[in-house]
Amino acid sequence: NDAEQAVVERLQKKKQYVEKLEAIFNAMDKTQDGMITEERLSEMLSNPVVLTYFQTLDIDVHESAALFHLMDNGDGEVTLEEFVGGIMRCKGQARAIDQVAMRADLKTLDTKISKISRALRHAGIVPKTPMAKGRRKETKETVLDT
């Protein structure tokens, strides 16, 4: 079946891609402790050969700090699993899905901040500001309007 063959080929390509990412991670893990720091990632990505290799894997890395923080779970170090997962999120369709999810998260956050802002104004903690011409009614106000 052609569909089954396509799935098998896709899984094989993904496996090979992950193996390449694991090799990159192991090359960056100078201390062999299974972790890389932001400084180490930045150091590696300043090497033109490493940058070119990332580009051959269809990974555009021009901001090492942003990449590191995308992968890091907040402990200041990136594990192999975080590295592979983060890089996979930077590719193709996964990147588009992340953008949609981020937009939804931002909308939720905007709504919550707007509610807090209204509550603070209602309590008199934050002064009420006159509505500028063209602004939405206060009940529909967003953070971007304040």
Side-chain angles (χ1 to χ4, degrees):
N1 183 346
D2 289 340
E4 289 174 359
Q5 182 63 29
V7 169
V8 168
E9 287 175 11
R10 186 174 219 135
L11 289 173
Q12 188 69 22
K13 283 183 182 180
K14 182 177 179 180
K15 180 180 181 240
Q16 291 170 349
Y17 188 83
V18 169
E19 287 171 355
K20 288 177 182 178
L21 293 178
E22 289 172 348
I24 291 171
F25 180 89
N26 290 330
M28 283 194 268
D29 183 14
K30 191 167 35 174
T31 60
Q32 299 299 305
D33 63 354
M35 304 282 221
I36 55 173
T37 62
E38 183 175 353
E39 293 77 23
R40 180 64 178 155
L41 180 64
S42 179
E43 175 188 324
M44 292 298 293
L45 293 179
S46 67
N47 181 331
V49 175
V50 174
L51 275 177
T52 302
Y53 187 72
F54 270 90
Q55 289 170 346
T56 65
L57 294 175
D58 198 27
I59 304 166
D60 188 16
V61 185
H62 35 291
E63 183 54 53
S64 61
L67 177 63
F68 183 85
H69 292 289
L70 170 80
M71 296 183 289
D72 183 26
N73 67 1
D75 65 359
E77 297 179 308
V78 172
T79 65
L80 174 62
E81 292 77 23
E82 290 169 337
F83 180 78
V84 171
I87 296 295
M88 296 299 280
R89 283 196 312 270
C90 291
K91 284 188 50 70
Q93 190 63 25
R95 184 172 46 206
I97 291 168
D98 274 352
Q99 288 175 352
V100 170
M102 185 171 27
R103 186 175 180 96
D105 289 346
L106 285 172
K107 188 175 181 179
T108 301
L109 185 59
D110 184 58
T111 301
K112 289 178 180 180
I113 291 173
S114 294
K115 286 180 182 178
I116 292 169
S117 179
R118 281 192 302 276
L120 291 172
R121 281 195 299 275
H122 182 71
I125 297 170
V126 174
K128 294 181 180 180
T129 56
M131 290 184 48
K133 188 176 183 176
R135 283 178 63 179
R136 294 182 245 176
K137 293 181 181 177
E138 188 164 324
T139 57
K140 299 277 186 178
E141 183 176 281
T142 67
V143 171
L144 299 176
D145 294 329
T146 57

